[in-house]
Amino acid sequence: METEILEVVEGPAGERAIERAAALLRAGRLVAFPTETVYGLGALAFEPAAVRAIFAAKGRPPTNPLIVHVPSAAEARQVVRGWPERAEILARTFWPGPLTLVLPRDPRVPDEVTAGLDAVAVRAPAHPVARRLLAAVGAPVAAPSANRYGAISPTTAAHVRKSLGGAIDAILDGGATPVGIESTVLDLAGPVPTLLRPGAIGREEIAARIGEVAVPAAAPEE
């Protein structure tokens, strides 16, 4: 397939690019888009076929769960089962931003997103293009990094095109990502908050808000 490059510029042309990307996502297609960390490869989170297409495009093992992107804590509650006080504190402090929270999943979230696990990873990105896109889609978007599995995560649209051009429907070009490293992933599904992946927000910053944060003996590979 030919991958569309949708450049986000000032004015009506930029709005048309975002609406085109949103329309593709609503139709079950794959669109790469910028977040403040890296570019993500998005698909509708509640559509199993669209989510499976992410794994096919990336060559990613289906045993590796995805992160669901939402505009805010209000929308996050639609994909999780329960919203503990720790989640509320962290969302108020760090969202929108590069912190991913793992919580028990709502039954509407398909197994394809969570690799069959009973928990789902969710975050509200801060990048203005990502936020405008999520608002235009009007539904949660599952998105890992927009690169072939095992490659370096992309921080520009050119990186995405080099890695996935011809394998995805469109790239929403919002310029270089400002942070450039992955989001921090924190598991709140168990009794003790556990850092699953270090990232842009440090363990100490999180512990200062909610207390003890455990670290597993061996962190999982990307």
Side-chain angles (χ1 to χ4, degrees), residues 12-155:
E15 292 303 319
R16 287 194 296 271
I18 288 175
E19 184 48 49
R20 172 59 177 163
L24 286 168
L25 285 169
R26 289 193 298 266
R29 305 297 185 85
L30 300 183
V31 176
F33 63 95
T35 75
E36 71 277 17
T37 57
V38 299
Y39 271 72
L41 179 59
L44 289 179
F46 290 160
E47 294 294 335
V51 175
R52 287 194 295 271
I54 291 176
F55 289 93
K58 282 178 60 73
R60 180 184 176 104
T63 53
N64 198 332
L66 305 180
I67 295 173
V68 175
H69 293 66
V70 295
S72 70
E75 288 82 5
R77 293 187 185 95
Q78 299 175 14
V79 300
V80 301
R81 192 175 67 251
W83 187 251
E85 182 181 3
R86 288 173 177 144
E88 181 63 25
I89 292 169
L90 293 174
R92 280 203 312 263
T93 306
F94 297 112
W95 282 7
L99 176 64
T100 296
L101 303 178
V102 178
L103 292 157
R105 67 167 169 164
D106 185 276
R108 291 176 296 173
V109 179
D111 285 344
E112 284 83 354
V113 170
T114 68
L117 301 175
D118 192 41
V120 62
V122 61
R123 88 174 181 100
H127 196 291
V129 171
R131 298 189 63 75
R132 289 160 64 189
L133 177 64
L134 290 170
V137 174
V141 172
S145 56
N147 54 273
R148 290 289 297 176
Y149 184 72
I152 296 173
S153 296
T155 57

Side-chain angles (χ1 to χ4, degrees), residues 193-219:
T194 302
L195 187 69
L196 299 184
R197 182 178 73 187
I201 295 174
R203 177 187 178 194
E204 297 78 10
E205 293 178 83
I206 297 169
R209 271 74 178 186
I210 62 170
E212 178 188 0
V213 174
V215 178

